[in-house]
Amino acid sequence: MSTGDPHGEAVAASSRWQSLSAGRDSSPKRIDEFYACDVFDQRKMRERLPKNTFQAIIKTIESNSKFSTDDAEVIATAMKDWAVERGATHYTHWFQPMTGLTAEKHDSLVTPDGNGGVMYRLSGSNLIQGEPDASSFPSGGLRATFEARGYTAWDPTSPAFIVRGKNYATLCIPTAFVSWNGEALDKKTPLLRSIDALEKQAMRILKIFGTDFGVNSVGSTLGAEQEYFLVDRNLYFARPDLVSCGRTLFGLVPPKHQQLDDHYFGSIPPRVNAFMAEFEEELFRLGVPVQTRHNEVAPGQYEIAPLFESTNIACDHQAILMETLKKVAGRFGFFACLHEKPFAGVNGSGKHNNWALSTDTGVNLLDPQDETHTNTQFMTFLCAVIRAVHIHGDLLRATIAGASNDHRLGANEAPPAIISIFLGDMLTDLIDQLESGKPNRTLKGGELDLGARTLPALKRDSGDRNRTSPFAFTGNRFEFRAVGSTASVAWPNTVINTIVAESLDFIATNVEKSLSEDAKPEKRDQVVRKVLQGLIKEHKAIIFNGDNYAADWQDEAAKRGLPNLKTTADALPALQSSKVKTLFKKYKVLSNTELESRSEIFAEKYITEISIEAEQMASMARTMIMPAAIKHQRNIAEAVGATEGVGVDSSVLRGELEDFVEMVCVLKDRIESLEEVRIIADGQTMMQCEYCRDQIVPAMESLREIGDQLEAHVEAELWPMPVYSQLLTLR
Ligand code: ADP
Ligand code: MG
């Protein structure tokens, strides 16, 4: 493959951008003037719908009641009028199949009017239900290709939006995607079911405390921080591994990378900042509120954090965010790389899943407030999470498993594969008090005196942060930090919602058993504390406030009986356990067949990704690295010949040649070994996963080792692909 001079092209692309941007109006736009202008949200529905239709749809959103076909007709027309005014020509039922990406099939809003002209139309039934063929999405055995029928169903709780480009605008209607017999084929359906399950159980707890008054609904909230890399697009196209696998399969870490911590939170390069501004502008237009942008640890790595929202909308917005990120990056000559570990030797990327519980009246149920020891309701929700994570640590681990995240977990840059909870000093102290009786104090953070007269005294948090914990309490929410950067967050949140629902159910059932209707608050708190006390004794092993990267944590965790499922092949079987089947079935989130199909899909994805990588790697080694090495070998051989030809001793050079030839032989051997093992025999999927883990992955690692060694020896001019120092440096 000829790569031309990709680095030169990247420099040219970057200078083209520089000159372009020089002439651009650089003043930022006022966001309030266009915020959510491309979203058909409640504000627009109120403006455009007759009062009774608006009330019907709000009722549907708030209490899951159904609305009539007539209402659907009115809403569809209003939505269509709005979209057409904003330039839309097509609409699509937008959904999230099991690929983890989003799917869309556009239908025209335009139909002939019978009089030689055209009219715009969206019927009520077109709004509510779609029937894409969609037979090629993974279904994990839920249906065969010949049983192609799948339905999309409008999710009225997530607002429709318009995706636009230079000459197109498409109305996107968020939908759930199910099979002909109603089985979930997507990520949204189980998420919505888990939200219902969580709400039901959380309301029971509020009822116990008498705080349900005026509360219509309780749900989880989600803010998912997204890490990503930006790579020059021209360099990206010169790396077949980045193109087909999203990560580099070969590559030596340059002498200087992230050791000086000079990139982290550093000043954002202007070209990147300009990209971020346009990226965020698009998100704001789509009503995705974003909060934070910064440089991350590795060179070329960045982060965007949205403002948290209710989980269903936040999950849709996360999907929009990832799509928009990739799209806008292209305009600035970047490739946005979302892979968990694109470059060996520098940090990979994650997606910190900030999760909390909130009432529709805006009360965060995981907010400890000042005198936490008096807040039994908070302790109840906290303990429910502790129990849930302890019982289902293996499920949580399986939830975030995948070939790409395997490279990151446990590599001292992300949490290990052991799931534990960080609570911090204040809450740990509270849990200890609760275990031994009635809590009577709340540790305070106090003030920090900075020693300089002009600096203000700072209020110190009552607990520090712990960056190494996979599931950390961070003040008023839990941060599930092990989620991978490519992941759709719908699935992890489906799982968190469901396991917490189960524990809330457990607590509520036990409390209700021993509590009379007219019990006084003092008595009620006593009963609740007793249940929590038992719970803590049984589940406190999950709490770990120390360094999760430390080697001795592995031993300690084993003593505590916490699973350490290092790879996807180890983690996925958890999805087939009867504990997990019962959980999902009981809360009507996934039937046994739906769960089995998911477990099959995740396993197949792992196997397929590893096979693609193995094939890509062998091919690059054979067709790129080997020829470059041979040329280099010939150059040395010619130098030896020429040196000896003029009668000069060349024994040192000859030794060098011999060593190099040896390396080339090793390369050849390892290519052949990988080519041999990469063919996966037919068989049970779980056994194929184990085969990938035990045979293919080690063969890839050993091929990479020699490939990288050769990179360190072959003349730079001959190396057939852009190297890390080029990929990680933006110009
Ligand atoms: P850090 O990187 O320090 O953890 P960031 O500011 O980058 O913090 O991100 C914090 C994320 O947590 C944001 O997306 C924010 O919206 C989210 N968040 C804050 N409060 C809640 C909450 N109650 N529920 C869910 N997410 C929350
Ligand atoms: Mg952050």
Side-chain angles (χ1 to χ4, degrees), residues 345-611:
V346 296
N347 273 21
S349 302
K351 179 137 50 193
H352 300 160
N353 192 99
N354 293 274
W355 181 96
L357 272 164
S358 168
T359 64
D360 65 333
T361 48
V363 178
N364 179 353
L365 301 169
L366 284 174
D367 186 348
Q369 293 164 3
D370 279 351
E371 299 299 319
T372 315
H373 65 280
T374 62
N375 190 346
T376 317
Q377 178 176 293
F378 164 78
M379 288 184 250
T380 307
F381 284 104
L382 178 73
C383 287
V385 178
I386 292 173
R387 179 180 180 276
V389 175
H390 187 225
I391 295 182
H392 295 293
D394 56 347
L395 168 60
L396 282 171
R397 169 65 184 93
T399 303
I400 47 142
S404 48
N405 214 12
D406 277 1
H407 296 285
R408 188 180 147 256
L409 299 179
N412 279 8
E413 56 173 87
I418 308 162
I419 302 291
S420 66
I421 288 186
F422 167 84
L423 285 185
D425 296 341
M426 189 272 275
L427 290 188
T428 305
D429 177 62
L430 190 70
I431 291 292
D432 290 344
Q433 293 181 60
L434 197 50
E435 188 188 0
S436 50
K438 187 178 169 190
N440 56 22
R441 62 157 191 269
T442 300
L443 294 186
K444 295 280 187 310
E447 280 198 345
L448 277 180
D449 179 1
L450 303 188
R453 190 177 45 83
T454 48
L455 291 176
L458 298 184
K459 206 168 157 269
R460 196 168 81 152
D461 288 302
S462 55
D464 202 356
R465 285 173 182 251
N466 185 324
R467 289 286 180 197
T468 68
S469 174
F471 212 95
F473 187 79
T474 49
N476 59 4
R477 59 188 186 271
F478 278 96
E479 187 171 344
F480 186 22
R481 301 169 48 87
V483 182
S485 48
T486 51
S488 144
V489 280
W491 176 232
N493 288 289
T494 302
V495 171
I496 300 174
N497 289 344
T498 314
I499 63 177
V500 174
E502 183 194 47
S503 281
L504 291 173
D505 181 5
F506 168 86
I507 297 171
T509 307
N510 279 290
V511 170
E512 285 161 1
K513 256 198 305 218
S514 15
L515 202 64
S516 59
E517 282 277 318
D518 52 358
K520 296 257 167 2
E522 198 34 42
K523 170 73 185 157
R524 174 201 64 208
D525 281 15
Q526 208 182 340
V527 171
V528 174
R529 276 199 304 269
K530 186 117 191 57
V531 172
L532 301 186
Q533 192 178 32
L535 183 155
I536 290 167
K537 284 194 200 309
E538 205 177 327
H539 300 291
K540 65 176 177 189
I542 194 72
I543 301 168
F544 178 61
N545 292 324
D547 179 3
N548 283 253
Y549 298 171
D552 49 4
W553 169 231
Q554 310 257 336
D555 303 330
E556 166 67 17
K559 276 193 217 130
R560 295 189 190 188
L562 302 179
N564 185 358
L565 306 165
K566 293 205 165 104
T567 71
T568 300
D570 303 299
L572 286 183
L575 294 177
Q576 293 167 358
S577 69
S578 54
K579 178 184 76 176
V580 171
K581 282 186 188 158
T582 314
L583 167 83
F584 284 123
K585 193 158 171 231
K586 181 166 180 199
Y587 296 95
K588 299 195 171 64
V589 173
L590 290 172
S591 69
N592 283 350
T593 30
E594 285 172 328
L595 178 63
E596 269 161 34
S597 81
R598 258 141 239 265
S599 141
E600 191 69 16
I601 289 169
F602 298 142
E604 275 170 11
K605 185 161 186 252
Y606 173 71
I607 298 162
T608 313
E609 283 178 3
I610 302 251
S611 323

